[in-house]
Amino acid sequence: EADAQVMTSHAWGEDVEEFLQALATWAEKEGIEDTTLVWFCLFANYQCEDRCGPSIKQQIDMSPFAKVIESDAVKAEQGGCGMVA
């Protein structure tokens, strides 16, 4: 298990391919290595509300975004790249 160095967020209403292209453009511009670990909320939060996984409220109560944002690995001053939205 390793800590992400970049946190990124994506809304279900956005075009995923457009988002990935924007992320790739940002990474190239900033000189971000291909091996940089990215925390991508689209894959980290269960959003279906189909009762097969935790509810959105249960997940919010676990403060997943705060945990990632506050992670030393993500903080730029600790060598991470910060949050990209």
Side-chain angles (χ1 to χ4, degrees), residues 24-47:
T25 299
W26 170 82
E28 183 177 342
K29 177 183 165 200
E30 297 295 321
I32 306 300
E33 301 285 329
D34 289 344
T35 56
T36 300
L37 300 175
V38 177
W39 188 86
F40 191 8
C41 74
L42 176 69
F43 300 121
N45 293 327
Y46 190 80
Q47 300 182 30

Side-chain angles (χ1 to χ4, degrees), residues 4 6 8 12-13 16-19 22-23 25-27 35 38 40 42 50-51 56 61 63-64 66 68 70 77 84:
V6 175
T8 187
W12 281 93
V16 174
E17 291 175 358
E18 183 179 331
F19 172 81
L23 184 61
T25 299
W26 170 82
T35 56
V38 177
F40 191 8
L42 176 69
D50 61 3
R51 297 192 176 112
I56 292 173
D61 289 345
S63 304
V68 174
E70 294 168 359
E77 62 270 16
V84 181

